[in-house]
Amino acid sequence: HLAGGKTQTDARSDVYTAGALLYHLLTGQEPIPVVDRLKHRAGLFGGRALILPRALNAQITPGMEACLLRTMELEPAERYQSAKELLYSLETGYVPPPLRYPSGPNALPQQTKSRPVDPLATLGLADTPARTPPAPPTPRPTSGPGINRGAPTPPIERPVQSPLRRTGQPGMMPGQIPTTSGPQPQFPAEQKGATAPRLPAVRPQTGPAPRHPGFTSRLRFPDAPDGGQPTSRTGPQPEAPTPSKPDALLPFPGGRKSLPRAPAAPGPLITRRRLLIGLAGVAVAAAGTGGAVYFINRLRPPYTPLFTFKVDGVPVNCVAWSPNAPRLASGANNNLVRIWDAQHGKLDLTLTGHTDFVEGVAWAPNGQVLASASADKTIRLWNPFQGGDPELVLMGHTDTVYSVAWSPDSQFLASASADQTVRIWESTEGKLLRTFSGHTDAVYSVAWSPDGLLVASGSNDGTAKIWNPNQDGLPLHSLDNHSGLVRGVAWSPDSKRVATATHNKIVTVWNANVSFPPAYTLSGPTDALTSVSWSNNGALLAAGSSDQHVTIWAAQQDAPPKTLTGHTGMVSMVAWSADSALLASASSDKTVIVWRKQT
């Protein structure tokens, strides 16, 4: 008996055990223990969420995943009620819908969390409206395969591990961020220190707002006229070619007597008409050749893979370029950070130390330090040339750390976490300088402006926020056009604009000094966006999405986007190289692809 004799096991416990065994066999990993999942659901410290099976093995079908999640429901009444039901589901691929909860005096009390966990939050695939956690279910029949159709995917949570033990204590920072001095961003006086304004419910420019609750988890820009509004640009018209003059006839060397001219042999004369006809034929041939070349170039993809790196058969979550060499860092679900030689297509270095999934990587602008963020709630700073143990471990977050970003001088680090905070660290000794708590849900992306004055963050609460890293307090701006959960943020190279990638398949570009309206939006992907990257030359924006594609837009031109195909799983991260010549993409298909533009 369990719970002091009030509860006892039955066939549904065996159903859970069978589901856990299938989970292990299909993913190669043990499922998160029930106790940790219950803690996570209750919002207690140390809780961890069950990881979606397809996040660990992309070959698992959606139907099989739904079946596994049904067998491993925390509430027995929501599982299959007998082995016969489970067998029927495995044989037919049909998963029954969940039971409806009763209302009235017997209903369970509401959970303390203000937002329910979204079923497909981790992969960014949610498409159902949020609902309040319901009361206990009514009993359901246990005999016969009488099962109703139309099951939604069960809820899932994000995994977290216990914090690592930190050796050594952080000291004081020699160059701590000033709190009252230093360069400050210029904003209207009435907005400083004020609460983030409540924005009007304006629909995105490309479609209606989504009905989903959320899902889990990076700019040189030429000045544009008209307040930064994009304008189509045309280059200078080429000048008409000047026809070349025929070589002048050389005079006969002086002193020589010319020989008597022999009578010319009779032959056809080249008339003006024949000359024009001949020239027309040459022009037609040249036009045909040019048309063939144009047609062939149109058939070629705009970008082709230069290298494809395979990462130990596990999903890859993040990727980042070194600023001064063709080296690439990636983090994956094997808890490892890999550094690749993108010039020769080989593995350079493997960094070990994290005890859970690596969710984010970022290279310091000086190229000397690599930072990694993990579900083990820590940030680690590495020597990317020597390897070995991390130089420093930053601890303080209470949940998964999804993203890290460096200040331009490589002295400070910003981090984003599922604990709903953005934190600012000193990178020399790991001192925590500031904690921003304006978001109301998990924060999945953070980016530091190239001028060093601002930090942007994107959250599961559907907003992006802009912070002053030198001051405590509320955000300077809250960006929200009701286009879905914000998974990625990226700055333009001139620090004047912020791009956000949302669950609603839209990249929104904002002017950094105002909260609304956005400058413009970009569309094209067919599924939820996971990340966004702005090229260092300011000309291109790239985004990864759950539709397995990478999409590239011209940042300031009204031109159709280019779509890169090659991945077979969700594209979790995209990043431009420092010279904007290469694009890297990480995917749940267990690969990193380096793309090169066709010439």
Side-chain angles (χ1 to χ4, degrees):
H1 290 280
L2 303 176
K6 298 179 181 179
T7 307
Q8 65 181 22
T9 60
D10 55 22
R12 297 171 297 181
S13 302
D14 297 329
V15 167
Y16 186 99
T17 302
L21 177 60
L22 287 173
Y23 183 101
H24 192 176
L25 292 174
L26 292 174
T27 65
Q29 296 195 27
E30 295 182 5
I32 302 299
V34 173
V35 173
D36 291 353
R37 293 178 61 196
L38 290 171
K39 287 181 180 179
H40 184 275
R41 189 176 70 174
L44 301 178
F45 179 79
R48 292 186 295 166
L50 184 67
I51 305 164
L52 281 176
R54 296 185 69 200
L56 303 173
N57 181 0
Q59 303 302 316
I60 297 176
T61 64
M64 176 57 74
E65 180 180 70
C67 178
L68 288 176
L69 296 176
R70 176 55 58 84
T71 63
M72 301 176 67
E73 284 284 358
L74 292 175
E75 295 296 334
E78 293 186 357
R79 300 175 201 153
Y80 295 106
Q81 299 300 292
S82 67
K84 185 175 181 180
E85 285 190 9
L86 172 58
L87 179 61
Y88 178 83
S89 185
L90 291 172
E91 289 177 344
T92 63
Y94 165 66
V95 180
L99 290 177
R100 293 188 176 274
Y101 287 87
S103 59
N106 295 325
L108 288 176
Q110 298 297 317
Q111 296 185 15
T112 57
K113 297 194 69 170
S114 60
R115 291 171 64 98
V117 177
D118 186 32
L120 295 180
T122 305
L123 295 181
L125 300 176
D127 58 1
T128 56
R131 59 186 178 90
T132 306
T138 54
R140 63 179 294 173
T142 57
S143 61
I147 305 170
N148 296 324
R149 295 184 177 270
T153 311
I156 122 165
E157 322 100 298
R158 247 339 244 182
V160 250
Q161 294 281 2
S162 300
L164 297 178
R165 294 184 176 87
R166 168 83 153 75
T167 57
Q169 296 181 356
M172 293 301 295
M173 166 192 92
Q176 176 174 340
I177 295 183
T179 57
T180 57
S181 62
Q184 301 295 328
Q186 299 301 317
F187 294 100
E190 63 271 11
Q191 295 187 15
K192 292 186 178 181
T195 29
R198 187 66 180 176
L199 301 177
V202 178
R203 297 287 184 180
Q205 300 177 15
T206 56
R211 296 181 300 127
H212 47 73
F215 72 97
T216 66
S217 164
R218 275 244 164 295
L219 294 160
R220 282 192 207 276
F221 192 103
D223 291 325
D226 231 358
Q229 296 297 335
T231 57
S232 62
R233 294 187 173 182
T234 57
Q237 298 298 324
E239 297 180 359
T242 305
S244 59
K245 297 181 179 180
D247 295 337
L249 298 177
L250 298 178
F252 200 91
R256 293 186 61 184
K257 294 182 180 180
S258 57
L259 299 177
R261 181 175 297 175
L269 297 176
I270 301 179
T271 65
R272 179 186 175 106
R273 181 172 178 271
R274 290 182 178 180
L275 179 61
L276 292 176
I277 293 174
L279 291 176
V282 172
V284 170
T289 304
V293 172
Y294 174 79
F295 181 73
I296 292 173
N297 285 336
R298 290 283 292 178
L299 292 179
R300 297 172 66 189
Y303 290 79
T304 56
L306 177 63
F307 296 113
T308 298
F309 300 121
K310 297 183 178 180
V311 187
D312 300 333
V314 295
V316 190
N317 301 319
C318 50
V319 68
W321 286 95
S322 168
N324 49 18
R327 303 177 78 215
L328 193 66
S330 66
N333 283 2
N334 55 5
N335 309 344
L336 301 178
V337 176
R338 302 260 193 208
I339 298 179
W340 310 87
D341 181 348
Q343 184 174 9
H344 302 96
K346 64 178 184 178
L347 177 65
D348 255 5
L349 198 63
T350 298
L351 306 176
T352 61
H354 282 297
T355 59
D356 210 330
F357 297 169
V358 179
E359 300 285 356
V361 286
W363 223 297
N366 62 16
Q368 302 301 309
V369 185
L370 179 70
S372 59
S374 171
D376 64 14
K377 310 175 188 176
T378 69
I379 303 160
R380 294 171 187 256
L381 306 185
W382 311 84
N383 184 327
F385 302 99
Q386 296 181 358
D389 293 333
E391 301 289 321
L392 204 61
V393 179
L394 310 183
M395 303 180 68
H397 282 294
T398 59
D399 209 331
T400 299
V401 187
Y402 285 111
S403 177
V404 283
W406 288 90
S407 63
D409 59 5
S410 303
Q411 296 299 308
F412 307 102
L413 197 68
S415 59
S417 170
D419 64 12
Q420 306 180 11
T421 67
V422 174
R423 304 194 182 213
I424 307 296
W425 312 78
E426 186 275 331
S427 65
T428 304
E429 299 185 12
K431 180 181 177 63
L432 176 61
L433 303 178
R434 227 157 250 113
T435 299
F436 297 123
S437 304
H439 284 293
T440 59
D441 212 324
V443 189
Y444 296 109
S445 185
V446 65
W448 208 304
S449 65
D451 62 10
L453 299 179
L454 301 171
V455 168
S457 58
S459 169
N460 198 42
D461 64 11
T463 70
K465 297 186 186 297
I466 297 179
W467 313 85
N468 182 345
N470 299 296
Q471 293 180 351
D472 293 317
L474 297 173
L476 300 174
H477 298 289
S478 184
L479 313 178
D480 181 10
N481 65 337
H482 304 278
S483 60
L485 317 171
V486 180
R487 180 66 182 269
V489 292
W491 283 93
S492 64
D494 62 2
S495 303
K496 293 182 178 179
R497 288 183 169 176
V498 178
T500 60
T502 64
H503 184 271
N504 202 30
K505 315 171 192 176
I506 294 172
V507 169
T508 304
V509 179
W510 304 82
N511 294 316
N513 60 344
V514 295
S515 295
F516 200 85
Y520 56 90
T521 59
L522 302 169
S523 60
T526 60
D527 209 336
L529 299 184
T530 60
S531 59
V532 63
S533 178
W534 210 316
S535 63
N536 285 337
N537 61 13
L540 301 170
L541 275 162
S545 61
S546 298
D547 62 9
Q548 307 178 3
H549 298 157
V550 177
T551 306
I552 299 176
W553 295 268
Q556 211 171 356
Q557 296 180 8
D558 187 14
K562 296 178 175 62
T563 301
L564 313 186
T565 60
H567 284 294
T568 59
M570 176 187 70
V571 179
S572 51
M573 180 73 62
V574 291
W576 288 101
S577 61
D579 59 3
S580 304
L582 301 173
L583 179 67
S585 56
S587 171
S588 63
D589 66 6
K590 310 162 189 174
T591 67
V592 173
I593 296 181
V594 177
W595 306 85
R596 178 174 56 186
K597 186 176 182 179
Q598 287 283 6
T599 56

